[in-house]
Amino acid sequence: MSLAVRVIPCLDVDSGRVVKGVHFENLRDAGDPVELASEYYRQGADEVTFLDVTASSSHRSTMVDVVSRTADSLFIPLTVGGGVRSVDDVDSLLRCGADKIGVNTAAINDPSLIERIADRFGCQVLVLSVDARRERGEKHTRSGFEVTTMGGRKSTGIDALWWAKRAEELGAGEVLLNSMDADGTEGGFDVEMISAVRSEVSIPIIASGGAGKKEDFPPAIAAGADAVLAASVFHYGKVTIGEVKTALRDAGYTVR
């Protein structure tokens, strides 16, 4: 595990605004992304993640503008994901100020994309975003955790543990592990899933999905995560970055 646990607010961006829902549905407006990112920087966030939740080509220029304006106003790593389909997409986002790029569906469709991005820009740039859930009904994967796309609505039949390990072999620098069962529910992180993926990979794991209160964060680290990511609890003021860091520190973890 890294020396210091990272606390990362996630901003889901749709048409230039931050939104949040449950299981990526019933999205509500949560504010301006640049203003929110700047506020989290002031609160002590270690990184900020933007996810373009519509991810259509028509919104690409909007997202590039948001990233560019945000990069000018804060001085911590900025990760951008959603709709990244090519090496050229990565190049354009890095040029406008992103530090790391999240890939998801495009890498599932063409795993060689991971290798090509890592070869050109370095493993440290590439974050594999894994939207995983427990299988429903008949089990088709070894672990019982499957990779999904389309905000958890579409099954892939791919074992989430196998996919994380394969991505590491291809050059992914981190895994953003999002529990689709827990996403937006504020019922706590899926510590069983985190622990299972940790047993398969050595690269950093960012735990995502389910944070509802400050006490939810230390168990994710205990399960094997190197960083914790959350959205709703930060956007709607239920917990601050500082309160999360205090909870982690009180649990015996080093934070920045």
Side-chain angles (χ1 to χ4, degrees):
M1 191 169 74
S2 59
L3 292 178
V5 173
R6 290 169 288 149
V7 178
I8 307 172
C10 179
L11 290 76
D12 296 332
V13 180
D14 179 7
S15 303
R17 298 290 292 179
V18 176
V19 296
K20 192 58 192 169
V22 178
H23 305 311
F24 289 95
E25 296 179 346
N26 301 317
L27 299 178
R28 292 184 292 163
D29 188 285
D32 177 75
V34 181
E35 290 179 4
L36 275 173
S38 298
E39 173 58 28
Y40 293 141
Y41 173 58
R42 288 189 290 271
Q43 286 187 23
D46 299 301
E47 299 180 13
V48 169
T49 293
F50 281 156
L51 292 180
D52 182 354
V53 295
T54 44
S56 68
S57 58
S58 62
H59 292 128
R60 177 64 59 197
S61 60
T62 301
M63 195 63 182
V64 166
D65 175 65
V66 168
V67 172
S68 180
R69 290 190 293 124
T70 303
D72 286 341
S73 63
L74 68 158
F75 305 96
I76 52 176
L78 174 60
T79 300
V80 182
V84 175
R85 300 178 178 89
S86 69
V87 172
D88 287 343
D89 286 343
V90 175
D91 186 59
S92 66
L93 288 167
L94 292 175
R95 285 179 183 276
C96 70
D99 298 283
K100 295 188 281 189
I101 306 299
V103 295
N104 186 344
T105 306
I108 293 169
N109 294 335
D110 178 13
S112 73
L113 178 63
I114 297 172
E115 206 164 20
R116 286 183 278 123
I117 293 171
D119 285 347
R120 179 163 172 185
F121 304 106
C123 296
Q124 77 285 349
V125 162
L126 183 55
V127 180
L128 179 77
S129 183
V130 179
D131 292 339
R133 72 177 181 201
R134 283 174 164 77
E135 286 191 286
R136 299 165 183 170
E138 188 178 351
K139 180 177 172 181
H140 298 286
T141 65
R142 177 176 59 84
S143 69
F145 296 108
E146 71 167 335
V147 177
T148 69
T149 59
M150 304 295 292
R153 293 185 293 275
K154 184 177 179 181
S155 300
T156 66
I158 298 171
D159 189 303
L161 275 61
W162 174 87
W163 177 229
K165 185 175 181 64
R166 179 61 181 144
E168 178 180 27
E169 293 168 350
L170 289 170
E174 291 185 275
V175 172
L176 170 52
L177 182 63
N178 187 33
S179 168
M180 300 311 298
D181 296 316
D183 179 75
T185 65
E186 301 183 12
F189 291 94
D190 189 333
V191 294
E192 184 183 355
M193 180 187 293
I194 295 166
S195 179
V197 174
R198 169 48 69 212
S199 69
E200 296 293 328
V201 303
S202 59
I203 55 177
I205 294 173
I206 304 166
S208 170
K213 56 189 182 299
K214 64 183 181 180
E215 291 84 4
D216 289 334
F217 291 85
I221 304 303
D226 302 87
V228 283
L229 178 147
S232 300
V233 290
F234 294 143
H235 301 340
Y236 300 121
K238 295 184 178 181
V239 66
T240 65
I241 302 288
E243 288 169 342
V244 171
K245 289 195 169 188
T246 296
L248 289 166
R249 202 175 284 116
D250 289 347
Y253 299 109
T254 302
V255 296
R256 297 177 184 178

